[in-house]
Amino acid sequence: MEDEFYRIKRLPPYVIAEVNAMRHAARRAGQDIIDLGMGNPDLPPPQHVIDKLCEVARKPDAHGYSQSKGIPGLRRAQSNYYGNRFGVDVDPETEVVVTMGSKEGLASLATAITAPGDVVLAPNPSYPIHTFGFIIAGATIRSVPTTPDEHYWEQLDRAMAFTVPRPSILVVNYPSNPTAETVDLAFYERLVAWAKENKVWILSDLAYSELYYDGNPTRSILEVPGAKDVAVEFTSMSKTYSMAGWRMGFAVGNPKLIAAMSRVKSYLDYGAFTPIQAAACAALNGPQDIVEKNRQLYQKRRDVMVEAFGRAGWEIPSPKASMFAWAPLPPALKDMGSLEFSKQLLTEAEVAVAPGVGYGEDGEGFVRIAMVENEQRLRQAARNIKRFLNSKGVNSTTTS
């Protein structure tokens, strides 16, 4: 009998889990850890959304099995979101499916459309589900860059020319988790044309659609005419409405992909709890001031973090979107590597960050910092980091 199961053998150790375990142990020991590691929103959902959840949960008939692809009202609400936000017409019957967060949606679609031996193009570094959802399904990953420059296009063409069998799927994620990079509509126009020419499906993860800064709204690939011929896009309510634990997301786009995914999901689950779906309708259909309020709050945190960490001696590029900063290790400590740096930062500065190598080998040399603590805590983190850097012989320019 095999010691390990086939799919488990294909999964490497989850590097980020190592730092998470250290964080839990430190907190159990009474240490005040400033947790900038996990992208777990610290803000509450809108009150009217919680009220709707409670209202529907009190109904005796709301506790049975729900619809796997989502209740009709919620699919209509998501269709209206695409119309209002992106000017895109979406058929709620054939082009929308409700997912239990974008993570489950990507995994379900991977199960539906890939076979062992299929080759999938995925960014490196990337959020783990963008690769491991397909690895679990039996596919093979060929990495392409995350940074959307000319080198990106060269690597796409190289992958198509020299990979056997030819790749059939490309995953894109902008704003990127973990790098926070963004793209414009011209990028998506070129991508759709490339996908049609090469007969490749595009899976676009737009989980951070509403966390954009400096007045530059994110774009959707579905804004490109004809994109639905080749693309499906995932969105999430986790960050937009601070509903991460509710597990509410959507896949929207190509009817063939949506149908395949819906069929697989019908075997795997009965859909999310109906009161949660009703509350998600209230979020999408109700007042949207919370979205702008959250966006401004995260932008202020970004500005405080970049300024305070910079004064502490750690220069961090200011992210254009998402709730993350993708920070190169301080040059003097680069040889330490992202995992060891993250461990020492946790034990010596009581600040948790996510090691970049956990997002792929090309993430080495970086850490991901989540803006999930308030401004006061971010400034405290900067003071702790300043002491840590000074103890390593890294001198800051001024006091923080």
Side-chain angles (χ1 to χ4, degrees):
M1 189 177 291
E2 289 276 351
D3 289 339
E4 276 198 278
F5 299 109
Y6 165 73
R7 284 182 174 80
I8 302 302
K9 283 193 291 188
R10 299 195 75 206
L11 296 174
Y14 195 39
V15 172
I16 298 165
E18 196 174 338
V19 178
N20 288 345
M22 290 177 62
R23 183 190 68 225
H24 289 312
R27 281 186 163 166
R28 280 199 306 272
Q31 288 181 261
D32 179 24
I33 302 298
I34 301 173
D35 188 4
L36 309 179
M38 189 174 180
N40 197 10
D42 61 319
L43 309 170
Q47 186 59 46
H48 70 275
V49 175
I50 297 172
D51 292 343
K52 177 58 73 172
L53 173 73
C54 297
E55 173 196 327
V56 179
R58 291 190 186 98
K59 296 181 178 180
D61 61 351
H63 301 274
Y65 295 126
S66 191
Q67 292 192 29
S68 178
K69 69 176 185 176
I71 60 176
L74 184 52
R75 284 182 277 118
R76 284 195 298 272
Q78 177 68 354
S79 175
N80 291 337
Y81 165 75
Y82 263 84
N84 295 332
R85 173 70 165 79
F86 300 113
V88 175
D89 290 329
V90 174
D91 184 340
E93 286 301 314
T94 62
E95 297 177 338
V96 180
V97 61
V98 178
T99 65
M100 295 181 190
S102 56
K103 191 173 183 178
E104 178 272 325
L106 279 154
S108 290
L109 187 56
T111 301
I113 67 174
T114 51
D118 284 355
V119 177
V120 174
L121 302 176
N124 188 347
S126 73
Y127 188 56
I129 197 65
H130 296 152
T131 54
F132 293 115
F134 292 96
I135 288 172
I136 291 169
T140 299
I141 301 296
R142 174 157 180 155
S143 294
V144 293
T146 301
T147 300
D149 54 14
E150 279 306 313
H151 179 60
Y152 176 86
W153 299 103
E154 291 166 7
Q155 291 303 303
L156 283 190
D157 289 338
R158 185 175 178 81
M160 297 309 296
F162 297 108
T163 309
V164 179
R166 279 170 64 87
S168 55
I169 295 166
L170 168 67
V171 180
V172 293
N173 170 216
Y174 299 105
S176 168
N177 179 6
T179 72
E181 291 168 294
T182 59
V183 294
D184 56 16
L185 192 59
F187 174 88
Y188 285 136
E189 289 169 345
R190 186 173 175 183
L191 194 65
V192 168
W194 177 89
K196 289 186 175 185
E197 180 184 344
N198 288 281
K199 297 182 172 57
V200 171
W201 294 113
I202 301 173
L203 311 188
S204 169
D205 184 354
L206 190 61
Y208 299 92
S209 59
E210 300 309 320
L211 286 187
Y212 58 82
Y213 308 125
D214 308 313
N216 294 314
T218 53
R219 307 304 293 261
S220 162
I221 194 172
L222 299 184
E223 291 181 70
V224 179
K228 282 191 286 189
D229 295 340
V230 293
V232 68
E233 188 161 69
F234 294 88
T235 56
S236 168
M237 304 190 75
S238 296
K239 312 310 189 293
T240 305
Y241 298 99
S242 302
M243 293 167 64
W246 298 49
R247 308 315 300 133
M248 276 279 98
F250 303 90
V252 173
N254 180 268
K256 185 175 180 179
L257 294 180
I258 294 296
M261 183 177 169
S262 299
R263 186 166 184 192
V264 164
K265 278 178 62 64
S266 72
Y267 284 94
L268 295 177
D269 69 67
Y270 284 110
F273 186 39
T274 299
I276 290 180
Q277 294 196 56
C281 288
L284 287 168
N285 295 333
Q288 299 299 300
D289 53 335
I290 185 70
V291 178
E292 176 61 27
K293 183 179 175 184
N294 284 354
R295 185 184 299 128
Q296 290 177 358
L297 183 144
Y298 280 115
Q299 182 169 324
K300 187 74 190 305
R301 287 181 178 181
R302 176 199 70 172
D303 294 344
V304 166
M305 182 183 68
V306 169
E307 188 268 339
F309 283 29
R311 284 198 289 134
W314 189 7
E315 295 295 331
I316 294 174
S318 182
K320 296 179 182 176
S322 85
M323 64 195 307
F324 305 113
W326 186 237
L329 301 189
L333 303 180
K334 191 166 185 180
D335 289 346
M336 190 182 286
S338 63
L339 180 58
E340 182 61 25
F341 176 84
S342 299
K343 289 179 177 180
Q344 292 196 23
L345 198 67
L346 180 68
T347 55
E348 298 179 35
E350 298 188 321
V351 175
V353 297
V357 72
Y359 302 95
E361 62 186 35
D362 290 347
E364 184 54 272
F366 294 82
V367 295
R368 193 194 73 174
I369 304 173
M371 299 180 283
V372 291
E373 295 266 16
N374 63 40
E375 294 168 31
Q376 180 182 345
R377 296 279 282 173
L378 289 171
R379 290 193 174 97
Q380 178 63 53
R383 289 191 288 272
N384 294 4
I385 288 167
K386 178 182 171 63
R387 287 198 302 272
F388 169 74
L389 294 178
N390 285 346
S391 75
K392 302 294 180 185
V394 180
N395 297 315
S396 58
T397 52
T398 59
T399 56
S400 178

